[in-house]
Amino acid sequence: MGYDYIHEADFAGFIFSYLKEHKADLRRETWYSYKSQLSKIQRFKNPLLFSDINEKFITDYHSYMLNVLKNNENTASKSLRVLRTFVNIAMRFGYIKTNPFQYVNIKKVDGKRDFLSLEELNRLNKYYQECRYANIKMEVLQYFLFACHTGLRYSDIKALSLNNLQGDYLVIKMHKTNYTVSIPLTQKSKSFLPKNSKGDRIFKIYCNKVTNRVLKQIAKEVGITKNITFHVARHTFATTSISLGIPMEVVSKLLGHTNIRTTQVYAKIVDNVKLREMQKWDCLVI
């Protein structure tokens, strides 16, 4: 391993060197995520030595993320899991002898999953149909609505090519999981496919930041007050599919989940919505 130039006590330097050497082995998004997480750790403590990594450091870092950076619990937990990955690498090479995470419980809470109701989805459909000219709003809304009807993530939409269209099916290896999914295309989902694609890519995709900014503008124009990001499309597909009575096992396969328990989170969301709506009966004056 090419780590000779690193100070023997330098945890951050060792991890950075390791990531640099193994860049080709990691997905692009994973590599940049790890690099970003390492920078985040260094903002908390720099220099960072192997001897600094103990249970107290982990607890203090967790507190720093929650109270100073104002991260939510899931964001902080994700950062701790990455730190644990870094620690495991250091342990593998003998730089850390005792596992500091041995008695640390990393929490995982169900985050808020915003999704569109059928009425809100229809508002966006109408907005799209009334677009008379090709512009950035129409282009972003086009691939967002396609994702609402197929459950694809942003990374999958971005990589979508004409080769993925096989008759009435969309066959794609999902970027996040490498899981191959075959999604039947409905007439509605087909209506969002561009008539003429330029090159091999189906959609003209803007970066995530621009996409989300445009979606928020559109949501405001049509009176949707929810915090709309591109991932809302995936949540919308899942909750709508379950509400329509599509079996959980089928929804799980369409989403590319490797564990049906991941899909069951959406069933809980749908049940909560049903409960909230049914409680309106209590407002009747008899």
Side-chain angles (χ1 to χ4, degrees):
M1 307 295 287
Y3 309 135
D4 294 343
Y5 65 95
I6 301 171
H7 189 281
E8 64 178 6
D10 186 3
F11 174 83
F14 165 73
I15 294 299
F16 179 77
S17 180
Y18 179 90
L19 293 177
K20 186 176 179 182
E21 183 162 318
H22 291 268
K23 185 174 182 178
D25 303 326
L26 299 168
R27 289 198 186 94
R28 185 173 182 271
E29 290 81 3
T30 301
W31 191 86
Y32 279 106
S33 175
Y34 281 176
K35 190 168 178 288
S36 174
Q37 290 288 348
L38 183 59
S39 296
K40 182 177 177 179
I41 295 168
Q42 288 181 292
R43 287 197 298 274
F44 172 62
K45 182 168 177 42
N46 191 32
L48 181 60
L49 309 180
F50 289 109
S51 58
D52 293 323
I53 312 297
N54 53 36
E55 189 172 338
K56 184 179 184 305
F57 172 84
I58 296 168
T59 302
D60 290 346
Y61 182 46
H62 182 240
S63 177
Y64 163 77
M65 289 188 284
L66 295 178
N67 300 316
V68 178
L69 300 184
K70 303 301 181 184
N71 291 163
N72 62 40
E73 188 63 59
N74 268 350
T75 299
S77 293
K78 178 181 178 180
S79 295
L80 288 183
R81 283 193 291 273
V82 173
L83 174 58
R84 185 173 60 189
T85 297
F86 293 163
V87 167
N88 287 340
I89 292 170
M91 289 180 66
R92 200 164 73 235
F93 285 89
Y95 289 103
I96 294 178
K97 304 299 183 183
T98 304
N99 184 5
F101 279 92
Q102 184 175 358
Y103 301 109
V104 175
N105 179 30
I106 301 179
K107 297 179 182 178
K108 182 172 177 59
V109 297
D110 287 337
K112 184 182 177 184
R113 286 175 166 85
D114 279 318
F115 63 94
L116 299 174
S117 66
L118 282 175
E119 189 273 332
E120 290 167 333
L121 190 56
N122 283 332
R123 275 193 241 173
L124 292 180
N125 283 331
K126 184 178 179 182
Y127 183 94
Y128 174 76
Q129 291 166 2
E130 292 176 351
C131 285
R132 300 300 180 192
Y133 306 101
N135 53 46
I136 186 171
K137 287 183 180 178
M138 189 189 78
E139 291 168 339
V140 168
L141 189 54
Q142 186 175 35
Y143 59 82
F144 176 77
L145 288 172
F146 184 78
C148 285
H149 287 78
T150 57
L152 294 181
R153 299 179 181 87
Y154 174 82
S155 56
D156 296 320
I157 288 283
K158 187 176 181 180
L160 208 58
S161 72
L162 295 173
N163 291 331
N164 296 123
L165 295 176
Q166 299 181 18
D168 291 329
Y169 286 82
L170 186 66
V171 181
I172 181 170
K173 180 178 283 189
M174 293 200 157
H175 186 80
K176 182 177 180 179
T177 61
N178 273 336
Y179 190 81
T180 299
V181 177
S182 178
I183 303 171
L185 291 173
T186 62
Q187 290 303 313
K188 192 66 178 178
S189 61
K190 287 179 182 178
S191 71
F192 300 114
L193 291 171
K195 298 295 185 287
N196 297 299
S197 299
K198 294 182 179 179
D200 183 50
R201 292 287 183 260
I202 292 177
F203 295 102
K204 177 182 178 182
I205 305 294
Y206 295 89
C207 73
N208 217 336
K209 186 176 181 180
V210 171
T211 295
N212 289 333
R213 185 176 70 235
V214 171
L215 287 174
K216 284 173 172 56
Q217 292 171 353
I218 295 172
K220 186 176 181 180
E221 288 182 37
V222 300
I224 296 175
T225 57
K226 293 172 181 173
N227 181 30
I228 303 298
T229 63
F230 192 86
H231 208 61
V232 166
R234 185 167 170 85
H235 298 328
T236 298
F237 173 80
T239 54
T240 302
S241 295
I242 293 170
S243 297
L244 291 173
I246 299 176
M248 188 76 64
E249 295 80 2
V250 176
V251 177
S252 185
K253 290 292 184 183
L254 292 171
L255 289 170
H257 289 162
T258 55
N259 191 324
I260 197 169
R261 283 180 294 182
T262 307
T263 318
Q264 288 170 339
V265 172
Y266 295 106
K268 293 178 183 177
I269 294 171
V270 172
D271 285 341
N272 288 337
V273 173
K274 288 177 183 176
L275 176 62
R276 186 187 68 215
E277 294 302 310
M278 284 299 290
Q279 285 173 341
K280 292 177 179 178
W281 279 91
D282 294 332
C283 298
L284 288 177
V285 178
I286 300 175

